[in-house]
């Protein structure tokens, strides 16, 4: 389990389950068809939990180039490791998106809504306004990354040593905070653009949508927004964290 492999598997699971819940809600003939935004945001939050549980012990489970870059800017990850992280994240996102298509292939066939089918891969704006859409992604990613900087593991005072504390391992449930964070971002800030807040999460599946020649546009004209917005947001979060630190 190298950093590369951990990020591939973790991001693959993230996208399989995250885009999988979108497919379950929007594609025709599924058991979950029409079940709504609460189901989608909850599924995405739990998808993050699953990805972090698997990759966390080996790579720290970034699963997101915005997180990787912010941690590098803050000096918490070596810049030399950034390409390995980002390669794993993009490859994993593409694999996860392909598996969603395999899993729901019959339902893609009976769905005529081209926008709905693209939504099973990548994000898109509810109201197309490039500046507003970009700001949405900047703010959403800023919240994600800034809060991640302040995640802390539980500690206990060591009896008889007032200057020392012991870090308590929580095992898999230590992944819950980031799941709750993504959940609240989706519920509160996801209504405008679908809260990509992750360049690989959007770009990788969009590439797969294009390669599979699914009927309908891959909307490459919008594709830069969920890449640039998260990158700006993560840098703002990292700089503010360093200033406050």
């Amino acid at each position: 389990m190298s950093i590369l492999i951990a990020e591939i598997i973790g991001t693959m699971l993230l996208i399989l389950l995250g885009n999988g819940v979108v497919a379950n809600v929007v594609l025709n003939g599924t058991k979950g068809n029409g079940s709504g935004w609460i189901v989608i945001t909850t599924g995405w939050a739990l998808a993050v939990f699953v990805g972090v549980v698997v990759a966390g012990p080996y790579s720290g489970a970034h699963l997101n180039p915005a997180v990787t870059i912010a941690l590098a800017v803050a000096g918490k990850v070596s810049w030399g490791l950034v390409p390995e992280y980002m390669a794993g994240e993009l490859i994993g996102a593409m694999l996860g998106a392909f598996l969603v298509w395999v899993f729901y292939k019959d339902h893609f066939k009976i769905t005529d809504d081209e926008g709905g089918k693209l939504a099973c891969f990548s994000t898109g704006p509810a109201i197309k306004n490039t500046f507003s859409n970009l700001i949405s992604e900047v703010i959403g990613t800023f919240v994600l990354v800034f809060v991640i900087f302040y995640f802390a593991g539980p500690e206990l005072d060591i009896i008889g040593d007032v200057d020392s504390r012991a870090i308590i391992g929580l095992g898999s449930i230590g992944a819950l905070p980031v799941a709750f964070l993504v959940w609240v971002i989706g519920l509160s800030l996801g209504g405008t653009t679908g809260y990509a807040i992750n360049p690989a999460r959007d770009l990788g599946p969009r590439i797969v949508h294009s390669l599979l020649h699914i009927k309908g546009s891959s909307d490459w004209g919008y594709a830069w927004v969920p890449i640039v917005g998260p990158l700006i947001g993560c840098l703002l979060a990292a700089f503010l964290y360093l200033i406050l630190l």
Side-chain angles (χ1 to χ4, degrees):
M1 262 296 216
S2 64
I3 288 174
L4 177 66
I5 298 300
E7 290 292 305
I8 288 174
I9 295 174
T11 309
M12 179 189 71
L13 290 170
L14 167 68
I15 300 302
L16 171 61
L17 299 176
N19 280 350
V21 73
V22 177
N24 191 25
V25 170
V26 306
L27 295 180
N28 291 342
T30 68
K31 299 288 188 180
N33 180 256
S35 50
W37 190 245
I38 300 297
V39 172
I40 288 175
T41 55
T42 304
W44 266 107
L46 296 176
V48 170
F49 174 81
V50 170
V52 171
V53 163
V54 173
Y58 305 98
S59 68
H62 297 184
L63 315 183
N64 183 343
V67 173
T68 299
I69 290 172
L71 292 174
V73 169
K76 295 179 178 292
V77 169
S78 166
W79 280 103
L81 294 175
V82 169
E84 184 175 1
Y85 271 103
M86 294 180 70
E89 290 151 2
L90 184 61
I91 293 169
M94 293 178 69
L95 288 174
F98 177 73
L99 290 175
V100 170
W101 177 76
V102 170
F103 195 95
Y104 283 100
K105 188 174 181 181
D106 291 339
H107 298 275
F108 276 104
K109 289 180 180 178
I110 63 172
T111 300
D112 295 325
D113 180 5
E114 296 177 0
K117 288 190 281 190
L118 177 59
C120 300
F121 291 85
S122 296
T123 62
I127 298 175
K128 197 157 190 178
N129 180 322
T130 302
F131 180 73
S132 294
N133 302 152
L134 183 66
I135 293 301
S136 292
E137 289 295 332
V138 169
I139 293 174
T141 311
F142 173 86
V143 173
L144 172 72
V145 173
F146 189 70
V147 175
I148 284 175
F149 276 125
Y150 286 91
F151 282 164
E155 299 176 332
L156 277 179
D157 289 324
I158 298 175
I159 296 175
D161 188 346
V162 296
D163 296 321
S164 298
R165 312 198 88 189
I167 297 175
I168 307 167
L170 288 179
S172 294
I173 65 170
L176 281 176
V178 70
F180 280 122
L181 174 58
V182 171
W183 195 10
V184 74
I185 290 172
L187 290 172
S188 302
L189 305 176
T192 55
T193 61
Y195 70 118
I197 59 175
N198 180 340
R201 169 264 176 276
D202 194 273
L203 177 60
R206 199 180 297 271
I207 292 172
V208 172
H209 178 274
S210 180
L211 292 175
L212 289 174
H213 300 294
I214 295 171
K215 187 177 180 181
S217 170
S218 298
D219 197 9
W220 285 106
Y222 177 78
W224 68 272
V225 173
I227 295 174
V228 175
L231 293 179
I232 295 172
C234 79
L235 291 175
L236 292 175
F239 292 145
L240 181 58
Y241 171 74
L242 290 172
I243 290 169
L244 295 174
L245 187 64

